[in-house]
């Protein structure tokens, strides 16, 4: 199956089939496998949610946490945090309200408010694999603002959605009376799980840093790579044992290990431009500060891997992540049309509508909040800056908001979460009576977002001003680079840069090779 998926992905990319995402191609291969297996006698198969979450997901999440550019993430931290945390909570509420009221108005099964909230939580999990496969096919990198926003949101969003889902599942008890005390306990459970998982990830990354710093020069590159992967997944299974969120822990662990174990030795475009203009750069200043005050410490940005291990670790991580993500989407297609689902055209339509509208309401609202914060910070910086040098934040305009709405692709994480909803037990009164309906609604939303929104995204990007630069072999978004051009236009006039092509060559040389 993985071999066929690899062939399909290669054909999609080679023939430039933009209306079919690579993730969609893998899902179709899985659907074909389901059709073949369903006609074979004495063959039974079922979805294993534990194998999915404990084996397939960790390598993908860790690779994403290591891969994302930390400087770009820090520069866009405000909108990413707003979308990932506040946005997930808001999207869950909006989706649940639309689904509950819509199912009451239509001539179909009414989804109770508890199940509606659970569906809103699991369907709020944005799939970074499906989204980034579309952006990568467009040639985007972590130097593009929209790429960082989507990547960062989807990375943090999964952990928040899972913690919220686990909290809401505890309400599936008929004997439970929902009052202020129960709601307070649920909020405390959410906070404890989120903070506890984050702490486990950070501590695991810190211990990994100490280990590699202490063993520096004592291990072969092969052993270094093996130990790197062992330390990568340790926090996931620690949290899994105590029923916390392994996703949150492995994201935090990936950030810490990339900063201090791998190290931040890569150059970026802003550092080289700053060096050409002022003779210094942020990278050189950081290195100088590290040499002065942090050489004695384990936690510096120089990294603790040997040169050979450092050159190979990213490549090996990407191999594992690509293998797992291919298997995940094929696995998803294999169980997408299971006979155990209770399909209803009304519920499918209202679930898709609720899923899309929840994000349509959330993105513009929180984008306005982000832009207000940026203006307030700009006024404050303008008042405090004696020379008028202002560090502007990321202003999310309407074009970026539209791309963010279309980038809300759902995928395997939502499918795995809906499988973890307990079936109703008549003895204990716990569980959900509507799990078959929730599974069919989740499948409908995944199909619509991956094939319709994912297939339309390349055409939307072109329509909004994205253009493929053949000389630089990268995608630039015209509205997003106008501010950078304005900031550097004065340097061009002073002769600091000879031509615009010079920056293109700098950007080309500054792309990180992994």
């Amino acid at each position: 199956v993985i071999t066929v998926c690899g062939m399909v992905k290669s054909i999609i990319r080679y023939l430039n089939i933009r209306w079919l995402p690579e993730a969609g191609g893998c899902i179709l291969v899985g659907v074909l496998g389901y059709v073949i297996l369903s006609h074979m006698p004495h063959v039974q198969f079922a979805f294993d949610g534990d194998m999915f979450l404990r084996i397939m997901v960790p390598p993908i999440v860790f690779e994403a946490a290591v891969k994302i550019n930390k400087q770009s993430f820090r520069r866009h931290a405000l909108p990413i945090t707003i979308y990932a945390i506040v946005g997930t909570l808001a999207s869950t509420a909006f989706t649940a309200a639309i689904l509950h009221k819509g199912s009451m108005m239509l001539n179909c099964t009414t989804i109770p408010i508890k199940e509606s909230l659970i569906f809103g939580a699991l369907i709020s999990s944005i799939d970074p694999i499906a989204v980034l496969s579309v952006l990568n096919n467009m040639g985007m990198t972590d130097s593009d603002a929209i790429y960082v926003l989507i990547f960062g949101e989807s990375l943090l969003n999964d952990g928040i959605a899972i913690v919220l889902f686990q909290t809401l599942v505890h309400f599936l008890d008929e004997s439970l009376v929902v009052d202020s005390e129960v709601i307070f306990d649920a909020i405390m459970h959410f906070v404890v799980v989120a903070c506890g998982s984050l702490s486990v990830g950070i501590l695991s990354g810190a211990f990994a840093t100490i280990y590699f710093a202490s063993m520096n020069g004592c291990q072969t590159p092969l052993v270094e790579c093996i130990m790197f992967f062992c330390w990568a997944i340790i926090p996931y299974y620690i949290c899994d044992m105590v029923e916390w969120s392994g996703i949150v822990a492995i994201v935090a662990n990936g950030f810490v290990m990339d900063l201090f174990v791998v190290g931040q030795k890569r150059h970026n475009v802003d550092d080289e431009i700053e060096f050409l203009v002022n003779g210094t750069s942020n990278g050189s200043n950081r290195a100088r500060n590290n040499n002065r005050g942090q050489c004695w410490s384990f936690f510096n940005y120089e990294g603790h891997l040997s040169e050979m291990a450092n050159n190979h670790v990213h490549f090996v991580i990407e191999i594992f992540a690509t293998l797992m993500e291919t298997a995940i989407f094929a696995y998803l297609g294999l169980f997408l049309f299971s006979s155990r689902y209770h399909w209803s055209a009304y519920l499918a339509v209202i679930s898709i509508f609720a899923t899309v509208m929840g994000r349509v309401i959330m993105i513009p609202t929180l984008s306005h909040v982000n832009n207000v914060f940026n203006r307030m910070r700009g006024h404050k910086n303008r008042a405090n800056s004696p020379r008028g040098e202002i560090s502007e934040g990321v202003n999310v305009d309407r074009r970026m908001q539209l791309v963010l709405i279309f980038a809300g692709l759902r995928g395997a994480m939502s499918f795995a979460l809906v499988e973890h909803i307990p079936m109703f037990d008549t003895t204990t009164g716990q569980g959900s009576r509507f799990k078959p309906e929730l599974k069919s609604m989740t499948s409908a939303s995944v199909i619509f977002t991956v094939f319709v929104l994912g297939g339309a995204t390349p055409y939307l990007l072109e329509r909004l001003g994205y253009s493929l630069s053949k000389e630089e072999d990268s995608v630039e978004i015209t509205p997003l680079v106008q501010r950078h051009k304005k900031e550097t236009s004065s340097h061009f006039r002073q002769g600091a840069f000879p031509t615009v092509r010079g920056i293109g060559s700098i950007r080309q040389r500054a792309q990180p090779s992994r």
Side-chain angles (χ1 to χ4, degrees):
V1 173
I2 294 177
T3 303
V4 176
C5 288
M7 293 172 57
V8 170
K9 291 170 67 175
S10 299
I11 292 173
I12 291 174
R13 184 170 298 184
Y14 180 77
L15 298 179
N16 195 24
I17 305 176
R18 295 187 296 174
W19 52 269
L20 179 62
E22 293 181 7
C26 295
I27 291 177
L28 293 179
V29 172
V31 172
L32 179 62
Y34 167 77
V35 173
I36 296 174
L37 292 176
S38 61
H39 288 83
M40 296 179 65
H42 310 296
V43 175
Q44 297 180 356
F45 53 93
F47 184 85
D48 191 344
D50 291 335
M51 184 192 73
F52 177 88
L53 285 177
R54 294 175 180 172
I55 297 178
M56 293 184 173
V57 171
I60 299 172
V61 176
F62 182 77
E63 191 266 345
V66 172
K67 181 180 179 180
I68 190 170
N69 187 290
K70 303 306 181 294
Q71 294 180 357
S72 299
F73 183 88
R74 184 170 61 250
R75 191 179 303 120
H76 302 81
L78 178 61
I80 289 175
T81 304
I82 291 176
Y83 291 138
I85 299 178
V86 182
T88 301
L89 300 176
S91 179
T92 298
F94 294 146
T95 303
I98 295 174
L99 176 61
H100 179 63
K101 294 296 182 181
S103 61
M104 290 178 59
M105 296 172 59
L106 297 177
N107 186 22
C108 62
T109 303
T110 301
I111 305 299
I113 188 62
K114 293 181 181 179
E115 278 80 357
S116 298
L117 286 169
I118 291 175
F119 177 80
L122 67 89
I123 210 65
S124 296
S125 175
I126 305 302
D127 196 321
I129 307 168
V131 177
L132 295 180
S133 64
V134 175
L135 299 181
N136 288 329
N137 289 339
M138 292 293 294
M140 289 190 178
T141 64
D142 52 12
S143 62
D144 298 299
I146 193 68
Y147 183 97
V148 177
L149 287 177
I150 296 174
F151 196 177
E153 181 205 357
S154 60
L155 183 62
L156 301 183
N157 159 272
D158 281 348
I160 302 300
I162 291 175
V163 174
L164 182 60
F165 171 83
Q166 294 173 341
T167 302
L168 293 173
V169 165
H170 288 86
F171 285 89
L172 293 177
D173 188 347
E174 288 189 344
S175 62
L176 181 66
V177 178
V178 180
D179 53 13
S180 58
E181 183 178 355
V182 172
I183 295 176
F184 178 77
D185 290 340
I187 295 175
M188 290 303 299
H189 177 270
F190 177 86
V191 173
V192 169
V193 171
C195 295
S197 304
L198 185 65
S199 301
V200 169
I202 294 175
L203 289 175
S204 179
F207 285 125
T209 303
I210 296 173
Y211 169 82
F212 280 100
S214 302
M215 299 294 292
N216 192 4
C218 300
Q219 303 177 124
T220 64
L222 177 60
V223 174
E224 283 185 291
C225 291
I226 294 174
M227 295 305 299
F228 188 87
F229 296 124
C230 291
W231 279 104
I233 61 176
I234 283 176
Y236 188 93
Y237 297 108
I238 292 177
C239 289
D240 189 62
M241 287 190 298
V242 296
E243 296 184 353
W244 286 354
S245 176
I247 298 295
V248 174
I250 207 169
V251 168
N253 184 43
F255 268 69
V256 176
M257 290 185 67
D258 186 47
L259 287 172
F260 301 116
V261 177
V262 177
Q264 301 295 296
K265 301 175 183 179
R266 298 179 292 274
H267 299 288
N268 60 24
V269 179
D270 294 336
D271 285 344
E272 295 203 24
I273 292 177
E274 182 71 17
F275 176 77
L276 290 175
V277 175
N278 298 322
T280 60
S281 67
N282 294 331
S284 61
N285 291 334
R286 284 193 300 271
R288 189 180 301 113
N289 291 334
N290 288 338
N291 291 334
R292 290 177 180 174
Q294 294 184 345
C295 284
W296 58 272
S297 174
F298 293 145
F299 299 97
N300 56 64
Y301 296 104
E302 296 301 314
H304 301 293
L305 294 177
S306 64
E307 183 177 356
M308 182 175 294
N310 198 10
N311 292 336
H312 289 84
V313 69
H314 288 291
F315 180 67
V316 179
I317 290 175
E318 190 169 358
I319 289 177
F320 276 111
T322 303
L323 183 65
M324 289 296 103
E325 71 185 35
T326 302
I328 279 176
F329 280 104
Y331 200 56
L332 175 61
L334 191 63
F335 300 99
L336 203 56
F337 298 101
S338 174
S339 58
R340 300 179 181 179
Y341 297 1
H342 290 179
W343 286 93
S344 169
Y346 291 110
L347 287 180
V349 171
I350 191 62
S351 63
I352 293 173
F353 180 77
T355 300
V356 175
M357 288 304 300
R359 192 163 179 85
V360 168
I361 298 173
M362 181 267 292
I363 290 294
T365 303
L366 297 186
S367 297
H368 177 70
V369 173
N370 171 75
N371 296 339
V372 170
F373 274 115
N374 281 334
R375 285 195 295 268
M376 294 172 59
R377 187 167 58 180
H379 291 316
K380 182 178 179 180
N381 292 340
R382 189 178 293 107
N384 296 334
S385 179
R387 306 171 67 178
E389 299 175 356
I390 302 171
S391 176
E392 297 184 6
V394 179
N395 188 69
V396 184
D397 58 18
R398 292 183 178 179
R399 294 187 177 187
M400 295 178 66
Q401 295 173 24
L402 187 58
V403 175
L404 288 170
I405 291 173
F406 270 73
L409 275 60
R410 274 67 170 183
M413 189 64 70
S414 299
F415 196 80
L417 291 178
V418 75
E419 290 288 345
H420 278 74
I421 297 176
M423 287 289 293
F424 182 76
D425 188 340
T426 55
T427 304
T428 62
Q430 298 177 351
S432 174
R433 302 176 186 268
F434 300 89
K435 183 175 180 178
E437 286 81 4
L438 294 174
K439 291 166 71 174
S440 64
M441 291 157 53
T442 303
S443 298
S445 300
V446 170
I447 293 172
F448 180 84
T449 55
V450 170
F451 288 96
V452 177
L453 297 184
T457 299
Y459 302 97
L460 174 70
L461 296 177
E462 287 188 354
R463 186 72 175 175
L464 294 179
Y466 286 76
S467 60
L468 180 62
S469 174
K470 296 182 179 180
E471 292 182 0
E472 300 177 11
D473 194 26
S474 62
V475 173
E476 295 292 344
I477 186 169
T478 305
L480 295 180
V481 299
Q482 286 178 351
R483 180 170 62 86
H484 181 70
K485 289 182 179 179
K486 290 180 181 179
E487 293 175 353
T488 57
S489 60
S490 60
H491 301 306
F492 286 115
R493 289 193 295 268
Q494 296 173 4
F497 303 106
T499 59
V500 178
R501 187 178 299 274
I503 289 184
S505 62
I506 292 175
R507 179 178 287 109
Q508 225 173 12
R509 290 185 287 107
Q511 293 295 334
S513 58
R514 297 193 173 186

